[in-house]
Amino acid sequence: MGLQLFTVRDAMAKDAGGTLKKAAALGYEDLETYGYGADQNTYYGFKAADFKSFLQDNNLTATSGHYDFAPLFNKPADDLYAYVDKCIIGAHAIGQRYITWPWLSPDTRTPDHFKQLAQKLNGIGERVNKAGLGFAYHNHDFEFTDHNGQNGYTIVMNETDASLVKLQMDLYWVMHSSKLTPLELFKLQPGRFVMWHVKDMDRVTRDYTELGNGTIDFSTILPHYKLAGLQYYFVEQGSNFKTNSMQSITDCADYMKKNLVKYLE
């Protein structure tokens, strides 16, 4: 069972080691990081080697990380690749298997920008793969905005090399904003959706909510994990907590273990 640490970013900022210990006690075994101090090779303010020790002390792995590529979108390729190389160093240092591009700035979400993005993703994917790691792209809602019959997600799917660029599907955002269901997307490119973000959608506001409190019928999605090519999944809730972030990951862990893990066995 995986956890995207963005969910508990407030707790991580106060006590990273203690937060990881609590997450492990709840049954989380794998983590996805966000943020990286590229110049100092740090995670959450700790040197990569020290952060790796936190993981090992709690029998945790961190198989993927969200890295901050978006500010480099319009920078020269040399600048982008220099950052990629630093990310590779960090990922290797803490034992990650995937480096993930998680976000696009609002000014880079046009069809032309998505076409540029596809080429950037291919280039990064080749570089990351040569370093012995996998590379993936994570979606939000804006990829599904219609631009006269096309959208950014279709461009990314069709104009990137599936052997170099995998897809991390955020199930919530697909259910929230895509005309196609997760299963329909799996069928378009089987085996490419190697990671998922699992979170639920509030019945009234359609905002994030704890697993089991929302409208997403995970029984229609999770059983198709083999078709998708799933390797790792991460529970995530970025905001709109019923109580607080730590209670959220507690409730989500309980629901995941009692109701959803069975579909992934």
Side-chain angles (χ1 to χ4, degrees):
M1 187 167 66
L3 172 67
Q4 167 44 271
L5 288 174
F6 185 73
T7 306
V8 289
R9 57 195 179 278
D10 56 339
M12 288 294 293
K14 294 176 183 177
D15 181 8
T19 301
L20 296 184
K21 184 175 182 179
K22 290 176 183 177
L26 292 172
Y28 293 102
E29 302 163 289
D30 189 26
L31 305 172
E32 183 171 52
T33 61
Y34 76 92
Y36 173 56
D39 292 335
Q40 294 79 34
N41 191 23
T42 58
Y43 293 87
Y44 308 99
F46 296 91
K47 287 291 187 181
D50 294 329
F51 186 72
K52 175 68 171 178
S53 294
F54 284 148
L55 298 177
Q56 293 174 329
D57 290 346
N58 292 287
N59 295 313
L60 292 165
T61 56
T63 52
S64 175
H66 280 192
Y67 289 86
D68 198 14
F69 297 105
L72 296 166
F73 191 98
N74 292 314
K75 299 292 185 181
D78 287 348
D79 291 354
L80 176 61
Y81 288 139
Y83 178 71
V84 171
D85 290 342
K86 291 178 180 178
C87 295
I88 290 169
I89 290 171
H92 276 309
I94 65 171
Q96 288 180 333
R97 298 184 181 182
Y98 278 96
I99 287 173
T100 302
W101 181 311
W103 177 254
L104 283 177
S105 301
D107 60 340
T108 58
R109 297 176 183 175
T110 67
D112 284 344
H113 282 113
F114 276 107
K115 291 181 179 185
Q116 293 175 45
L117 173 67
Q119 298 310 307
K120 294 177 191 295
L121 295 177
N122 283 332
I124 296 172
E126 183 175 12
R127 203 173 189 95
V128 170
N129 285 190
K130 285 181 178 178
L133 300 170
F135 180 61
Y137 180 79
H138 171 85
N139 70 277
H140 287 81
D141 56 341
F142 51 79
E143 286 87 355
F144 303 107
T145 300
D146 181 74
H147 298 277
N148 297 317
Q150 61 179 336
N151 64 56
Y153 205 66
T154 299
I155 293 170
V156 169
M157 289 180 68
N158 292 340
E159 298 193 18
T160 53
D161 185 335
S163 69
L164 300 175
V165 182
K166 303 305 181 182
L167 297 172
Q168 183 184 75
M169 178 181 282
D170 189 304
L171 301 179
Y172 164 87
W173 283 120
V174 171
M175 295 299 292
H176 183 281
S177 301
S178 173
K179 292 181 179 179
L180 299 180
T181 66
L183 177 56
E184 289 170 327
L185 289 169
F186 298 157
K187 289 179 178 178
L188 289 177
Q189 294 191 350
R192 194 174 185 186
F193 303 87
V194 299
M195 294 182 287
W196 297 348
H197 276 196
V198 181
K199 58 178 179 269
D200 214 339
M201 182 163 54
D202 189 274
R203 298 176 184 278
V204 177
T205 66
R206 303 186 83 230
D207 199 349
Y208 311 144
T209 192
E210 285 75 17
L211 294 179
N213 291 344
T215 60
I216 296 179
D217 183 358
F218 292 100
S219 70
T220 66
I221 303 171
L222 304 193
H224 304 289
Y225 71 94
K226 290 184 179 178
L227 175 67
L230 182 69
Q231 297 173 9
Y232 308 104
Y233 70 89
F234 305 99
V235 172
E236 185 204 19
Q237 186 177 340
S239 61
N240 198 42
F241 304 116
K242 185 176 181 181
T243 305
N244 57 53
S245 66
M246 292 304 294
Q247 187 61 48
S248 174
I249 68 168
T250 302
D251 295 345
C252 287
D254 288 344
Y255 189 84
M256 191 82 208
K257 288 183 285 187
K258 291 177 183 177
N259 300 283
L260 301 184
V261 169
K262 62 186 179 182
Y263 294 116
L264 300 173
E265 296 174 343

